[in-house]
Amino acid sequence: MLNLVLFGPPGAGKGTQSEKLIEKYQLIHLSTGDILRSEISNGTSLGLEAKKLMDQGVLVPDEVVIGMISNQLDSNKNARGFIFDGFPRTVAQAEALDRLLNTKASAISGMVALVVDSEELEKRLLLRGKDSGRPDDANPEIIKKRIVEYNSKTAPVANYYREQNKLTTINGVGTIDQIFDSICSVVDAY
Ligand code: AP5
Ligand code: MG
């Protein structure tokens, strides 16, 4: 199985690159942000709770997202592999993911981390906020909060994979196709 963690701050291009990668490598795309937004649009109680936190730009509780990923792994038993996008976002989530994959006799193949400076991130997210309908994109203060949350809680996850020799960092600034080619050369080596 090919299990890729696509990592990076808000607006780094995780979702954009995941769409291309799932096509090329025939993987299942698991984006906790997308799953949470679909819970919100379906008006579930989980969605209602998550919305309050997401609209403020802060993380939802670990147990909520770990439960979602566990369900997705169970319902995609015959997958060739997964792209984890926006998960794991804390070290506790990374440890839980290892345990979940272990019970399926599988493991993370590697993490690709997209490196993009804060100025570029804010520019991309504000631009998307004009028509995305995502409340967390519309307000510069919320975008800043998401980046602060990333730096304090999520950035340490890269070290977790570095210690396992599974981390590759890639320049996330450039054209979408250039960045895709860089990611593919890493994935092809797995
Ligand atoms: P989530 O949905 O994961 O959002 P995010 O990580 O904050 O960032 P984005 O999805 O906005 O960015 P992206 O890296 O996917 O970039 P994209 O390709 O879209 O999370 C939202 C919220 O949900 C969190 O704040 C939290 O509350 C909650 N949550 C989710 N997962 C959680 C977890 N595991 N634990 C706890 N809470 C969780 O690109 C961004 C824009 O840039 C697009 O407009 C795109 O067109 C453009 N773009 C892409 N590539 C380029 C390029 N190369 N050049 C120029 N523009 C580009
Ligand atoms: Mg995304």
Side-chain angles (χ1 to χ4, degrees):
M1 263 177 111
L2 178 64
N3 294 313
L4 173 70
V5 178
L6 194 53
F7 191 72
K14 303 181 295 292
T16 304
Q17 297 295 335
S18 291
E19 291 305 324
K20 295 172 72 74
L21 289 162
I22 54 168
E23 210 177 301
K24 174 160 180 176
Y25 296 101
Q26 301 290 301
L27 304 171
I28 304 276
H29 181 196
L30 296 184
S31 158
T32 40
D34 288 350
I35 301 169
L36 288 165
R37 281 184 289 277
S38 94
E39 295 280 343
I40 292 173
S41 53
N42 291 330
T44 66
S45 57
L46 189 156
L48 289 173
E49 280 308 306
K51 181 171 168 47
K52 293 180 203 155
L53 299 165
M54 292 168 76
D55 286 357
Q56 297 170 56
V58 299
L59 297 184
V60 305
D62 286 339
E63 55 275 19
V64 171
V65 288
I66 292 166
M68 289 177 352
I69 291 289
S70 176
N71 289 339
Q72 290 292 327
L73 294 178
D74 286 342
S75 42
N76 289 286
K77 284 207 164 67
N78 297 320
R80 296 175 55 152
F82 297 91
I83 296 187
F84 298 94
D85 158 6
F87 180 93
R89 243 176 163 101
T90 63
V91 172
Q93 291 178 24
E95 290 167 349
L97 180 58
D98 277 350
R99 284 194 297 273
L100 285 172
L101 290 173
N102 196 25
T103 63
K104 297 175 194 312
S106 189
I108 290 297
S109 312
M111 167 190 270
V112 172
L114 299 169
V115 180
V116 180
D117 58 277
S118 302
E119 210 177 312
E120 170 75 12
L121 297 173
E122 287 172 39
K123 200 174 79 187
R124 288 184 188 176
L125 293 176
L126 276 174
L127 184 68
R128 185 177 60 186
K130 288 183 184 162
D131 51 25
S132 71
R134 270 180 66 167
D136 59 345
D137 280 349
N139 177 337
E141 291 310 312
I142 303 296
I143 290 175
K144 284 206 171 67
K145 178 69 198 165
R146 285 160 65 194
I147 296 173
V148 167
E149 191 83 340
Y150 171 83
N151 287 328
S152 64
K153 296 183 184 155
T154 304
V157 176
N159 273 328
Y160 179 85
Y161 290 99
R162 183 182 287 119
E163 284 164 8
Q164 300 181 27
N165 286 319
K166 288 183 176 175
L167 172 67
T168 308
T169 57
I170 280 195
N171 178 11
V173 182
T175 70
I176 289 169
D177 285 337
Q178 278 167 349
I179 298 163
F180 180 63
D181 287 345
S182 311
I183 300 173
C184 290
S185 57
V186 176
V187 172
D188 288 338
Y190 289 154

